[in-house]
Amino acid sequence: MNLPDDLPTGTMLIDNVHIAPVAGPEVRSGHIRIEGDRIASLGPGPAPDVPGATRIDGGGCLATPGLVNTHHHLYQWASQGLVQEATLFEWLTALYPVWAALDAEVVRGAATAGLSWLALSGCTTASDHHYVFPKGRGDLLAAEIEAAREVGLRFHPARGSMDRGESKGGLPPDSVVEELDDILAATAAAVDAYHDPSPSSMLRVVVAPCSPFSASAELMTESAALARARGVRLHTHLAETLDEEEHCLEQFGVRPVDYMERLDWLGPDVWFAHAVHLSDGDLDKLAETGTGVAHCPSSNGRLGAGIARVSELLRRGANVGLGVDGAASSELTPLVGEMRQALLIQRARYGPQALTARQALELATLGGARNLGRQDELGTLEPGKLADLALWQVDGPFTAAVADPVCALVFGPPPPLALLLVGGRTVVAGGELRTMAQDAAGRAGAEARGRLAKLAEGAH
Ligand SMILES: [Zn+2]
């Protein structure tokens, strides 16, 4: 495919492409017409002539909606490869002191690399859950927002928080938690400063206390009230491991989903990361309340957390999206590869009909858009939706041997990414980041790792 370096955002016509729109029938050889930041039309055969349009030959490519990442901790890019054989609680306990040394420069470098890596794996919209805010280390949220603007992804930063340190019965050391009032003020300020509710929004803020074992009940309920008063969404970790379940039973007398229900944390404006250890009743509750789940199969495998009951959630009509989770618990995980992980792990547990290739693609696109409350704008290729799409090169000498391009994309290793558009703007072309120098983006992450290691060492 021959592409100009910087495609204009006027009219773009993509011809001769296999379209998997996620909503509606697939088109074997068709076209997509993009006007500005929206999809204007798509269908079989060549695109109609539009004077002055940029015409792209999508021959040999599969077009899908851009992938949506619904759980991440970008700062962890700077602490990959550590504590390789540990449970969640062991891993957290070992890493909290490292993360206590975070500063804005580390977060910016880590986020630049992490978001570039997401873009190169087909992601057009990413949420990030940042919950470590050591005092006096600069504006960490602003740092990752700047990185997202530079890389060019649609971004949903989740202002995380922890107020339940060891002295209050929580898991994290007191050095990495904040005071309740400070958290609520900073979270409200983040919403005021950055949240853009408009339909083409590139940035929406989420309210996201970290987890039941690091956030107090008061922080959870006050956060929910704040988010609902301002019309933003809620996110947290839930039911990731059996350690957490034991902690909830011991400290609160109930299992994690029941605890969330007690705190008014179930509903269509909430999505949970992981949700691995659910009872049958929990599955029903998530489905009935419209509460979403971010499934993170690589991270769950890496930490030995367990296998989420994704296919059972889907059967009940619950919404599930995908997440790579923080890079410290799923090193270098490409978002496109999480479709394969999800599919294989579900089938290993439930059999070959547990998840189809097309269902896996739906989790990575429409499921993610629903978690972020943006299913009317994102997640499918349809006229009127935002022009966030990925073109995958599936006619390579090896890939071409697979009869079905969606099967090649999901069952196989990630194929080359020919083009990634965010609102009609080129972010990746020919497998290369086009919004910034790709090598510099990668190096920023490696430098962040070096800086964090030095800062953490100096703190002891
Ligand atoms: Zn996480």
Side-chain angles (χ1 to χ4, degrees):
M1 148 181 283
N2 206 6
L3 282 166
D5 272 1
D6 192 19
L7 294 166
T9 53
T11 300
M12 188 187 296
L13 307 170
I14 303 170
D15 274 325
N16 200 21
V17 66
H18 186 117
I19 306 168
V22 174
E26 282 175 33
V27 180
R28 279 190 165 278
S29 178
H31 69 274
I32 303 170
R33 180 164 66 92
I34 293 162
E35 297 285 354
D37 69 350
R38 303 260 161 188
I39 297 167
S41 63
L42 55 86
D49 251 341
V50 179
T54 302
R55 195 176 277 270
I56 292 167
D57 180 8
C61 285
L62 166 68
T64 68
L67 309 186
V68 180
N69 188 52
T70 64
H71 188 63
H72 207 329
H73 313 288
L74 287 163
Y75 73 87
Q76 290 182 10
W77 193 269
S79 60
Q80 295 182 83
L82 306 175
V83 202
Q84 294 176 21
E85 292 89 21
T87 66
L88 174 68
F89 278 18
E90 293 163 352
W91 174 87
L92 282 170
T93 307
L95 286 174
Y96 284 136
V98 177
W99 299 337
L102 280 178
D103 70 359
E105 199 177 321
V106 170
V107 170
R108 189 184 167 124
T112 301
L115 288 162
S116 300
W117 192 252
L118 280 175
L120 291 165
S121 68
C123 175
T124 49
T125 299
S127 184
D128 187 61
H129 188 184
H130 189 101
Y131 56 85
V132 185
F133 291 92
K135 265 200 177 72
R137 314 293 290 181
D139 192 337
L140 274 49
L141 196 69
E144 67 168 358
I145 286 171
E146 280 167 30
R149 283 190 179 135
E150 200 173 2
V151 177
L153 295 192
R154 227 176 275 287
F155 195 43
H156 286 225
R159 206 297 180 182
S161 52
M162 303 191 288
D163 72 335
R164 200 162 157 258
E166 273 169 347
S167 64
K168 293 180 183 165
L171 187 72
D174 291 349
S175 59
V176 293
V177 306
E178 300 172 275
E179 295 294 328
L180 175 67
D181 290 346
D182 295 344
I183 292 168
L184 295 172
T187 306
V191 175
D192 292 344
Y194 300 114
H195 183 70
D196 173 10
S198 72
S200 300
S201 176
M202 289 295 288
L203 199 147
R204 289 194 186 163
V205 176
V206 178
V207 177
C210 187
S211 67
F213 53 84
S214 60
S216 67
E218 200 181 358
L219 173 57
M220 297 299 293
T221 49
E222 291 288 331
S223 294
L226 169 68
R228 285 169 180 148
R230 295 183 185 239
V232 302
R233 298 180 78 76
L234 285 163
H235 179 54
T236 193
H237 292 95
L238 200 77
E240 180 174 356
T241 63
L242 288 173
D243 285 348
E244 180 191 326
E245 187 172 301
E246 280 162 26
H247 179 95
C248 286
L249 284 167
E250 212 176 275
Q251 300 263 337
F252 317 123
V254 286
R255 299 175 63 258
V257 171
D258 294 331
Y259 182 52
M260 289 297 114
E261 187 175 31
R262 184 194 285 174
L263 299 174
D264 197 18
W265 258 77
L266 297 181
D269 57 346
V270 181
W271 87 101
F272 296 135
H274 304 299
V276 173
H277 297 281
L278 302 180
S279 67
D280 290 350
D282 294 339
L283 296 171
D284 291 337
K285 269 182 195 166
L286 296 189
E288 283 160 11
T289 56
T291 310
V293 168
H295 176 45
C296 308
S298 288
S299 171
N300 296 158
R302 202 273 203 194
L303 293 171
I307 299 175
R309 300 172 68 177
V310 169
S311 59
E312 295 180 84
L313 280 166
L314 295 176
R315 256 206 315 277
R316 284 166 164 83
N319 186 60
V320 181
L322 294 183
V324 297
D325 202 3
S329 67
S330 62
E331 282 81 357
L332 302 172
T333 294
L335 181 56
V336 57
E338 287 303 82
M339 293 192 281
R340 179 175 200 260
Q341 295 284 68
L343 179 134
L344 295 181
I345 287 175
Q346 288 304 297
R347 290 185 178 198
R349 175 164 177 169
Y350 295 105
Q353 294 177 345
L355 202 66
T356 68
R358 282 156 180 85
Q359 276 179 306
L361 177 62
E362 185 171 338
L363 297 188
T365 53
L366 186 57
R370 285 199 185 107
N371 274 347
L372 303 183
R374 301 197 69 172
Q375 62 273 22
D376 294 338
E377 308 161 82
L378 303 171
T380 63
L381 300 179
E382 291 178 276
K385 283 211 164 177
L386 287 163
D388 289 15
L389 62 88
L391 287 196
W392 306 95
Q393 197 80 48
V394 288
D395 67 345
F398 290 94
T399 328
V402 183
D404 169 14
V406 178
C407 175
L409 176 69
V410 175
F411 283 54
L417 182 58
L419 183 68
L420 187 78
L421 302 179
V422 176
R425 179 186 181 215
T426 302
V427 172
V428 175
E432 287 276 331
L433 197 62
R434 295 299 171 103
T435 44
M436 64 180 298
Q438 183 168 312
D439 286 352
R443 273 197 303 273
E447 282 160 15
R449 184 189 74 82
R451 181 177 171 81
L452 179 61
K454 213 172 280 173
L455 289 171
E457 212 177 275
H460 296 111

